[in-house]
Amino acid sequence: MHILVLDGNHVETEFREKFGSAHEYTFLHTAHGPERDEDAVQQVIDVAAATAAVAFFFPAQFAADAPYRLLAAATFPVFVETTCHSLADSLSDPKNGPTTGLFFGFCGLPTLLNRQLLEVSVFHEADHEQLAATCATLGTDFRVVADRVGLVTPRVICQIINEACFTVQEGTATMQDVDLGMKLGTNYPHGPFAWANAIGVPRVYRVLESLWNDTHDERYKICPLLKRQAQRGEPFAV
């Protein structure tokens, strides 16, 4: 199967590990500025899409509407990274293509893609059978979750990271103590601060910001410590 990935270069290693070497991969960077012509970018996408069997793309990563024109004409399943916005919201803007076709949301945050289950949401309820067939061809088990901002795992992990930031900010424990305690106490693969660094602190911040804007739930009110690190673009010192 030819897998087309738009603006997912930051998780290329995870994609290849997750789906294996039996597939062909094309990773394209679509964001453009004054030095990149939108039509030229679209032509590159069209060439790759001509032989693609499935596409994954990261709408938060690119600054242009060009990839959405691919969605308008896609005849294959398209998985949209939806940790910061629901799939319904992604497809509601007329500029972002029609709401027909095979669209699925998926969790594509670093460290959360290469897992046994692919975390997905559906746009059309009638597409469950096609989703199962596509995932079978990709060679992955999957779990359908509600089409909500944050999905399930990103919502939980980012909330834990945020609470850990409050703990450190209040002087209750050090980052190192929190990370060690979580690893030993919960058997998580990473402590909250190491996990935030692996995901990318700015990405964690964007997920929580999206959750707060969507729900205004106090659980997602962002800790100033996390906000400062994200604004600086710096990892936590662990």
Side-chain angles (χ1 to χ4, degrees), residues 184-206:
L184 295 178
T186 65
N187 200 31
Y188 278 18
H190 314 282
F193 294 100
W195 211 334
N197 289 347
I199 293 172
V201 177
R203 293 190 183 95
V204 173
Y205 175 82
R206 284 198 297 270

Side-chain angles (χ1 to χ4, degrees), residues 31-118:
H32 71 279
E35 73 285 356
R36 296 193 70 186
D37 179 77
E38 183 176 345
D39 290 334
V41 171
Q42 186 63 39
Q43 288 177 4
V44 173
I45 295 173
D46 290 341
V47 170
T51 58
V54 63
F56 290 83
F57 83 110
F58 294 75
Q61 300 294 324
F62 50 70
D65 289 332
Y68 287 105
R69 298 198 316 222
L70 165 66
L71 297 184
T75 58
F76 45 76
V78 177
F79 288 82
V80 185
E81 212 289 322
T82 53
T83 55
C84 291
H85 41 78
S86 69
L87 186 58
D89 286 341
S90 299
L91 302 175
S92 63
D93 187 336
K95 292 194 304 181
N96 293 353
T99 55
T100 59
L102 288 170
F103 296 107
F104 306 110
F106 80 104
C107 171
L109 283 182
T111 77
L112 300 182
L113 175 62
N114 185 23
R115 298 181 293 162
Q116 182 178 0
L117 292 173
L118 184 66

Side-chain angles (χ1 to χ4, degrees), residues 151-194:
L151 298 173
V152 174
T153 308
R155 179 185 295 254
V156 172
I157 297 301
C158 291
Q159 185 181 354
I160 289 173
I161 292 169
N162 196 44
E163 289 298 324
C165 287
F166 277 116
T167 299
V168 170
Q169 181 176 276
E170 293 163 0
T172 306
T174 67
M175 293 183 189
Q176 292 78 9
D177 289 340
V178 171
D179 270 8
L180 181 60
M182 286 294 291
K183 287 184 68 176
L184 295 178
T186 65
N187 200 31
Y188 278 18
H190 314 282
F193 294 100

Side-chain angles (χ1 to χ4, degrees), residues 214-233:
D214 184 59
T215 66
H216 290 289
D217 189 321
E218 288 293 321
R219 291 179 297 172
Y220 307 121
K221 195 169 185 177
I222 301 172
C223 177
L225 173 61
L226 176 58
K227 182 177 181 178
R228 183 175 68 248
Q229 290 298 115
Q231 289 175 332
R232 292 175 176 174

